[in-house]
Amino acid sequence: MLATSLCGRAETPGEERKNLLQAYEQAIPSMSTAMCLAIDPDLLRTVEAMSTGYKVRGGAESKGETEAKLWLDRLKLAVTGRCVVALPYADADLVALNRAKLGTMRSLAVTDGPKLIQDVLSVQPLPDLVWPEDGVLDQSTFDELVTPQPDKHYAGVKSVLLDPTGLADAPGTAPVGISGEHPVTAVKIDSMVSDALQGSESRPRTLSGVAAPVESQPVSVQNALAVLVFRAGWQGDGRNVLVTPPRRWHAPVPEMTEFLTAAQKLLAGGYATQTGLEELTTATPSVTNAKITYPAEAGAREISSVIADSVTTQSVQLNGLVAAMQQEDSEHASPADLADPLWLGLLRAMSGAWRSNEQGARAAAEISQSELNALTGMVGVTQPNSPILLGSGDSPIPVTITNKLDVRMTVRITLADTPGIRKLDLPDQVLPARGERVVRVPVEVLRSGRFPVHVRLTTPEGVALGDTVKLEVSSSAYGTITVIITVIAGIALVLLSGRRIYKRVRARNGEGGAPSIENVTPEKSSA
């Protein structure tokens, strides 16, 4: 299911994809070695889903299935045997994920994409390579990325594409080695050409070591073209020129084509030679002591902590939900089948596209939260049709719980504190896939009356499932404490009544009985 239909109007993201692919197709015959196509796996998965038909949230009519299939076929044909780079899934901001301590999501962002690209396009992306947002990483994120995790089948990053501002002690334009426990090759981006392609809406950046204000930055493809000609014609000193267009490039096809045509002319005229990106990433660096640096301006543009906290909270909920799932059998879904799309949705909320765009990040986080709520809402308590009558003080409350998911769920029934009713211990319950159960919840009624009892389900780790349901419970029975008090009161009443009766009887006997011996006058004998 998609939030909106992506095909149908001329000025849509679908049209931009066509423009980029068209420019690539026109240039690839004469620049096959020098060109490498960077692909966002999220885009690829979305277009593949569109090509087979899809639903739009809200019930709108889907469009563009045929166009999506044609575009995917063209892309598959164009990249066959070519260089491909897998971007982090949804172009996730790796630094933001690391700062939020979302290590599992960070690993997913860099490992899911290459497998997906290979499955859909039948081409192997350059292995163990990362091109981060803005071409920079902080030291902590870099360390996490390059560290292998054998238990998770993660080999670690071996090469990175970095902006010169993200490196220190790295002279020249050739690839450099970053020293450490796990050595990594850093291929440097030509910031002067790449910044020119960013245009006037780009962030303030450092161009070739010189800080340029916003109004002085290159503003179009024509500026980038001028810089490229300057590099090849006047700085032909054997330097490497690695050009990385904006990750979200909106230039018209004629401008893209003109830029690539000029590059072809420079190659044909002998001003430049083609070098493959794979050759640069596998080269043996002459400089091996380069260091990672993180520019202050990059930190200022990071995804806000509010969004990161929201995603962190959702990830905790999703982890707790997955821990309560078990696959029913081979015919039913596995927990991963239900959870993986939600993990990918969380990555979209942490996309580098939202740097300096908190409104977009909030919208993406709200979508992921709604998807998570929809999943947890499929397990819950069913509202009974009539009030529940309890016949005795220890009668259990019947609660109907339902699981509409295609996996087995372990749930915990929780009762809100209710005056007059005390819940007794109840073990966690196992609900079959797409099943329903009536569970008798043991309680102790402390007094008679009518009680509103609020019941809901949670996972064993406390993740709320479904809505809270209000049960109307009535009881005419006395609870144990009430019975004990009544018995004690009855015994006390009997004792007090008996004592009073005893006193009355004794008093009556004392008034009408034989006189005291001291008051009796002896009778004279008649003898």
Side-chain angles (χ1 to χ4, degrees):
M1 178 176 288
L2 300 179
T4 58
S5 177
L6 297 182
C7 293
R9 293 185 295 114
E11 298 300 323
T12 63
E15 193 66 25
E16 293 170 5
R17 291 194 299 271
K18 293 178 184 177
N19 293 347
L20 288 169
L21 182 55
Q22 181 179 339
Y24 176 78
E25 290 171 330
Q26 292 175 358
I28 198 65
S30 59
M31 297 180 63
S32 59
T33 302
M35 294 190 70
C36 198
L37 195 62
I39 300 176
D40 182 351
D42 186 28
L43 170 63
L44 199 60
R45 176 173 271 131
T46 302
V47 176
E48 183 187 32
M50 291 174 60
S51 67
T52 58
Y54 63 98
K55 296 180 180 179
V56 179
R57 185 180 287 111
E61 181 182 356
S62 64
K63 300 178 181 179
E65 290 89 343
T66 302
E67 291 87 342
K69 187 177 186 307
L70 290 174
W71 184 87
L72 198 59
D73 291 341
R74 285 175 55 192
L75 177 62
K76 186 173 183 179
L77 180 63
V79 300
T80 300
R82 311 295 186 190
C83 173
V84 172
V85 170
L87 294 174
Y89 193 93
D91 205 6
D93 190 330
L94 302 178
V95 174
L97 290 171
N98 188 67
R99 290 190 188 278
K101 302 188 184 305
L102 298 172
T104 301
M105 289 177 57
R106 185 194 62 246
S107 298
L108 176 64
V110 297
T111 58
D112 184 76
K115 293 184 294 185
L116 177 65
I117 291 174
Q118 187 171 16
D119 291 342
V120 177
L121 300 180
S122 302
V123 61
Q124 176 65 52
L126 295 183
D128 307 325
L129 170 66
V130 164
W131 175 25
E133 182 72 23
D134 290 348
V136 292
L137 293 168
D138 66 353
Q139 187 65 53
S140 175
T141 305
F142 175 81
D143 292 341
E144 293 291 340
L145 287 172
V146 302
T147 302
Q149 300 177 26
D151 57 326
K152 298 181 180 180
H153 307 287
Y154 177 61
V157 170
K158 302 296 189 297
S159 54
V160 290
L161 306 183
L162 295 180
D163 189 89
T165 59
L167 288 168
D169 299 331
T173 61
V176 296
I178 302 175
S179 57
E181 183 180 354
H182 307 286
V184 172
T185 299
V187 180
K188 288 189 283 187
I189 297 168
D190 190 300
S191 60
M192 199 169 181
V193 181
S194 299
D195 281 351
L197 290 173
Q198 291 282 350
S200 59
E201 296 181 357
S202 66
R203 62 210 177 278
R205 291 187 55 188
T206 300
L207 304 182
S208 300
V210 180
V214 174
E215 61 272 18
S216 300
Q217 292 182 56
V219 294
S220 69
V221 173
Q222 295 299 322
N223 296 100
L225 180 58
V227 176
L228 182 61
V229 172
F230 171 75
R231 289 288 200 214
W234 281 269
Q235 290 185 329
D237 52 0
R239 68 173 56 225
N240 293 323
V241 180
L242 176 60
V243 180
T244 55
R247 294 168 108 89
R248 288 156 284 280
W249 201 11
H250 308 301
V253 172
E255 289 197 28
M256 296 181 188
T257 304
E258 182 64 27
F259 179 79
L260 295 174
T261 300
Q264 295 174 52
K265 290 179 179 179
L266 291 173
L267 292 172
Y271 294 99
T273 58
Q274 299 190 53
T275 301
L277 181 59
E278 184 175 12
E279 181 181 343
L280 296 178
T281 59
T282 57
T284 301
S286 57
V287 177
T288 58
N289 59 347
K291 297 179 178 60
I292 289 291
T293 61
Y294 193 61
E297 57 267 27
R301 298 181 62 250
E302 286 182 9
I303 295 174
S304 73
S305 59
V306 175
I307 303 302
D309 290 344
S310 172
V311 173
T312 299
T313 300
Q314 293 181 48
S315 70
V316 171
Q317 294 175 334
L318 186 52
N319 273 321
L321 183 63
V322 173
M325 295 178 176
Q326 303 90 36
Q327 187 171 11
E328 186 79 19
D329 53 45
S330 59
E331 300 297 325
H332 288 75
S334 68
D337 293 333
L338 301 181
D340 285 355
L342 273 70
W343 286 120
L344 299 178
L346 290 177
L347 284 177
R348 294 186 191 104
M350 295 293 282
S351 173
W354 309 133
R355 285 196 169 198
S356 303
N357 183 6
E358 186 164 344
Q359 183 177 358
R362 287 181 182 275
E366 289 172 0
I367 291 175
S368 63
Q369 183 67 69
S370 66
E371 292 173 345
L372 180 58
N373 292 343
L375 195 64
T376 58
M378 298 185 74
V379 183
V381 179
T382 302
Q383 180 75 52
N385 296 324
S386 59
I388 298 173
L389 303 178
L390 302 182
S392 63
D394 58 356
S395 294
I397 298 177
V399 176
T400 302
I401 55 179
T402 304
N403 174 25
K404 298 179 181 179
L405 296 176
D406 203 34
V407 293
R408 187 185 303 128
M409 289 291 298
T410 301
V411 300
R412 181 172 295 170
I413 301 176
T414 61
L415 269 63
D417 292 337
T418 304
I421 290 182
R422 182 163 65 92
K423 180 195 172 187
L424 304 179
D425 292 337
L426 177 68
D428 295 338
Q429 305 295 308
V430 177
L431 270 171
R434 300 188 179 279
E436 182 179 89
R437 284 187 58 190
V438 177
V439 180
R440 299 188 178 279
V441 180
V443 297
E444 182 180 2
V445 180
L446 305 179
R447 59 180 175 83
S448 62
R450 190 169 184 174
F451 312 96
V453 180
H454 294 86
V455 185
R456 85 171 308 162
L457 296 185
T458 69
T459 68
E461 296 187 7
V463 178
L465 301 171
D467 297 325
T468 299
V469 173
K470 180 181 177 181
L471 306 180
E472 294 292 341
V473 178
S474 299
S475 175
S476 58
Y478 293 102
T480 303
I481 295 178
T482 304
V483 171
I484 293 174
I485 292 176
T486 303
V487 171
I488 292 175
I491 294 174
L493 180 61
V494 171
L495 292 176
L496 291 174
S497 299
R499 182 171 180 273
R500 188 172 182 179
I501 294 173
Y502 172 75
K503 284 185 176 182
R504 287 184 178 181
V505 171
R506 185 176 178 183
R508 187 179 297 116
N509 289 341
E511 294 175 0
S516 173
I517 191 171
E518 295 179 356
N519 298 323
V520 176
T521 303
E523 296 181 359
K524 293 182 180 181
S525 176
S526 59

